[in-house]
Amino acid sequence: MLSLVTKVIVTMRRQDVPQINCDVKAGKIINPEFVVKCPAGCQDPKYHVYGTDIYASYSSVCGAAIHSGVLDNSGGKILVRKVAGQSGYKGSYSNGIQSLSLPRWRESFIVSEGKPQKDVTYPSALTYSSSKSPTAKTGEATKAYQKPSVPGTTAQPVTLMQVTGATASEASHTSLPKPSPSAVSTTSSLRSQPMGHRSWELGQPDASCSCKSPKVLLLFPGFVPKEELSTQSLEPVSQGDPNCKIDLSFLIDGSSGIGKRRFRIQKQFLADVAQTLDIGPAGPLMGVVQYGDNPAAQFNLRTHMNSRDLKTAIEKITQRGGLSNAGRAISYVTKNFFSKANGNRGGAPNVAVVIVDGWPTDKVEEASRFARESGINIFFITIEGATENEKQYVTEPNFSNKAVCRTNGFYSLNVQSWFSLHKTVQPLVKRVCDTDRLACSKTCLNSADIGFVIDGSSSVGTGNFRTVLQFVANLSKEFEISDTDTRIGAVQYTYEQRLEFGFDDYNTKSDILNAIKRVGYWSGGTSTGAAINYALEQLFKKSKPNKRKLMILITDGRSYDDVRIPAMVAHHKGVITYAIGVAWAAQDELEVIATHPANDHSFFVDEFDHLYKFVPKVIQSICTEFNSQPRN
């Protein structure tokens, strides 16, 4: 039996990649991952695309690349990776291409920029699985032959041949195998047979043929390949529960100590959760990371877009073995899992559920702190936790409370036995879908280090200074304050500068408000430029790298020194500066200090007593700026 596969050999220099035409579909290419070059002009409605972000393999590869934004109509190199088939593909209009919806398909693919990964070798020749190989480029040795049908006669098979190493002239004289009598039948009888069970049309040559063992694929006129059958009769697929739009990662325990039976129970638990959640692009998405000695992603958020496919993938997970290094797994998820490339949607809360048998073999506190500060809501499910006699062996006592988003019991579930794990499905789903209580999700109110720079010059006066402090307190009340959420610091300045309190000094709202009340009025001159430099060095230098840095400067007059260079330095260091001027403040100076655009980051108040009116305006500006930036 000759192979169905026709391999297209591409002659190319070392730095070149295979070129394909606009009409080439991903399903025609067998390679699971490859880099190709698309020509210009593929932004054409005749090149059909099915799906959004994840495309059915019946789509044009180059059309999907344009739809996803990886390429424009001028063409270029792309990286294509095959993924599992989906039960539904949603069409959308993007980048000049209207993709179509499809209820179901057997294979999918995703497209990214054509930058080869380090130490990964991509094929220099693509392997095609159908009769319709793309038009041969220079150096390709593929030739197709088709016998034209004659009206009124019995349908005859069409033969596709590949003659490797033959010139076009030689190929044109190569004889075709003679069909056996059993092959001459109606097209309907052939069409009813599954593709994997055909006999003669698979290319077995006649014994009388004296040709050079060509690879032959015979198709009959009107034959419809299996992958091109209409899918309109298939059942509709859920788009997911819109009331539970979260991006969810399960960190499952694959350590040796868990055993095969418990590992199966864990997988069944995941499958039950997937079914209950109603996975879909408009609702929750779910990926799985398994950890032992080291973590490894089993599949990411965009791999499976419905509960049925997700359950099938969960069943195929095999146990890794090793230790139970949950801390290392949490670090991996924080750094790698919740990315746009892996399907993170930005606007959906990030949730990580850690399942651990007994206790972890490494520490989780620092890794979890960084995860929380990155906007990840960590839940812990501890099964058969340490007994009193076993607690001496626990690497990190009270590890669950040190890891979870909040220690109020909402984020922790303790299960007494693996055989009662199934009872946790509904409580867990209810909690992760309660997005109003997912307190560790990044918002404009819980993800910044805010430094107040307060003018304490003589022109302010004692009474007005207390009004300024009340304004600072009113602004601070609006934020969620903790060591992992928003942190507050304050500097007062005249000719000199003084650090009233730093970001690490207080981590509760009540402590911050009391610290603001205790700030004493200093009195003196107005050196705003020096105050900005001081705040950068003494306050923001200790800001955490994953925090947004906000400086809120409040002054009532023109500075005695230059503010331009200090303001430029602040902007260069990524500090977002809001300038609030009162009474005699110079508006032109406020605009220099404020981050661009100045209209959104500078405010002028005619009287100190009217400062309170600007609290909602400042908060609105901070949140508008936050929501305009990429997240996670």
Side-chain angles (χ1 to χ4, degrees), residues 294-315:
N294 294 297
Q298 302 296 309
F299 44 84
N300 62 36
L301 295 167
R302 65 190 301 173
T303 309
H304 303 290
M305 304 296 283
N306 59 75
S307 295
R308 187 192 62 194
D309 292 345
L310 191 59
K311 289 168 65 179
T312 301
I314 289 168
E315 180 58 33

Side-chain angles (χ1 to χ4, degrees), residues 201-224:
E201 69 270 27
L202 290 178
Q204 186 170 354
D206 189 274
S208 63
C209 178
S210 59
C211 54
K212 295 180 181 177
S213 301
K215 295 180 180 179
V216 182
L217 177 62
L218 302 178
L219 298 177
F220 286 82
F223 179 83
V224 181

Side-chain angles (χ1 to χ4, degrees), residues 121-288:
T121 302
Y122 296 96
S124 59
L126 300 179
T127 305
Y128 291 85
S129 63
S130 80
S131 61
K132 293 183 180 180
S133 296
T135 303
K137 302 289 179 184
T138 303
E140 294 177 353
T142 302
K143 185 74 176 176
Y145 297 86
Q146 180 171 344
K147 183 176 180 179
S149 59
V150 180
T153 63
T154 305
Q156 297 294 321
V158 180
T159 308
L160 174 73
M161 303 183 63
Q162 179 193 23
V163 185
T164 306
T167 65
S169 158
E170 292 169 337
S172 65
H173 292 90
T174 304
S175 60
L176 302 180
K178 182 178 179 181
S180 63
S182 62
V184 183
S185 59
T186 63
T187 58
S188 60
S189 64
L190 280 167
R191 196 177 301 122
S192 64
Q193 298 179 27
M195 289 192 70
H197 296 278
R198 287 178 287 156
S199 55
W200 185 89
E201 69 270 27
L202 290 178
Q204 186 170 354
D206 189 274
S208 63
C209 178
S210 59
C211 54
K212 295 180 181 177
S213 301
K215 295 180 180 179
V216 182
L217 177 62
L218 302 178
L219 298 177
F220 286 82
F223 179 83
V224 181
K226 181 179 179 181
E227 65 268 23
E228 298 186 24
L229 294 176
S230 171
T231 58
Q232 294 179 357
S233 61
L234 299 176
E235 68 273 12
V237 177
S238 171
Q239 292 297 302
D241 181 2
N243 296 316
C244 184
K245 189 175 181 179
I246 60 172
D247 289 341
L248 172 63
S249 171
F250 267 94
L251 285 66
I252 63 172
D253 192 340
S255 60
S256 301
I258 195 174
K260 293 182 178 180
R261 186 179 185 186
R262 293 175 176 179
F263 191 75
R264 285 197 300 271
I265 294 173
Q266 186 175 209
K267 291 202 302 179
Q268 184 58 53
F269 172 73
L270 289 187
D272 292 344
V273 170
Q275 182 64 46
T276 306
L277 279 173
D278 187 11
I279 300 296
L285 296 180
M286 177 175 156
V288 174

Side-chain angles (χ1 to χ4, degrees), residues 263-507:
F263 191 75
R264 285 197 300 271
I265 294 173
Q266 186 175 209
K267 291 202 302 179
Q268 184 58 53
F269 172 73
L270 289 187
D272 292 344
V273 170
Q275 182 64 46
T276 306
L277 279 173
D278 187 11
I279 300 296
L285 296 180
M286 177 175 156
V288 174
V289 171
Q290 182 184 172
Y291 67 91
D293 291 334
N294 294 297
Q298 302 296 309
F299 44 84
N300 62 36
L301 295 167
R302 65 190 301 173
T303 309
H304 303 290
M305 304 296 283
N306 59 75
S307 295
R308 187 192 62 194
D309 292 345
L310 191 59
K311 289 168 65 179
T312 301
I314 289 168
E315 180 58 33
K316 295 177 181 178
I317 296 175
T318 58
Q319 188 175 359
R320 293 177 60 84
L323 299 174
S324 181
N325 290 331
R328 189 173 294 177
I330 294 170
S331 293
Y332 171 84
V333 166
T334 304
K335 296 175 183 177
N336 303 292
F337 189 85
F338 290 108
S339 66
K340 185 177 181 180
N342 286 333
N344 185 38
R345 292 171 288 184
N350 293 161
V351 179
V353 179
V354 185
I355 302 177
V356 62
D357 175 41
W359 57 89
T361 51
D362 64 348
K363 294 186 177 182
V364 302
E365 183 173 13
E366 287 305 312
S368 300
R369 176 191 293 270
F370 186 70
R372 297 193 303 270
E373 291 174 350
S374 299
I376 300 173
N377 296 273
I378 296 185
F379 287 76
F380 246 76
I381 300 178
T382 305
I383 306 163
E384 297 181 5
T387 63
E388 286 299 323
N389 292 333
E390 292 173 329
K391 286 183 179 179
Q392 59 182 317
Y393 305 113
V394 177
T395 306
E396 187 177 32
N398 202 26
F399 62 87
S400 180
N401 278 344
K402 293 177 181 178
V404 294
C405 179
R406 293 288 186 275
T407 57
N408 55 8
F410 182 77
Y411 297 88
S412 302
L413 295 102
N414 296 307
V415 182
Q416 297 302 315
S417 166
W418 277 94
F419 301 106
S420 58
L421 180 60
H422 65 280
K423 298 178 181 178
T424 312
V425 171
Q426 290 293 345
L428 176 66
V429 168
K430 184 177 180 180
R431 296 185 193 193
V432 298
C433 290
D434 190 354
T435 54
D436 290 338
R437 294 189 65 181
L438 297 180
C440 283
S441 297
K442 276 188 175 181
T443 70
C444 58
L445 302 178
N446 69 2
S447 58
D449 281 344
I450 302 176
F452 288 96
V453 181
I454 306 168
D455 184 349
S457 60
S458 301
S459 58
V460 175
T462 303
N464 288 334
F465 187 77
R466 304 317 301 177
T467 302
V468 170
L469 291 183
Q470 186 59 54
F471 172 72
V472 171
N474 290 342
L475 279 175
S476 300
K477 288 177 184 176
E478 298 294 324
F479 294 92
E480 299 170 27
I481 296 172
S482 77
D483 59 338
T484 58
D485 292 314
T486 291
R487 303 187 304 168
I488 305 289
V491 167
Q492 184 183 175
Y493 74 95
T494 58
Y495 282 128
E496 301 177 281
Q497 308 83 34
R498 183 169 71 195
L499 180 65
E500 300 293 354
F501 52 88
F503 294 135
D504 293 325
D505 291 344
Y506 306 105
N507 56 26

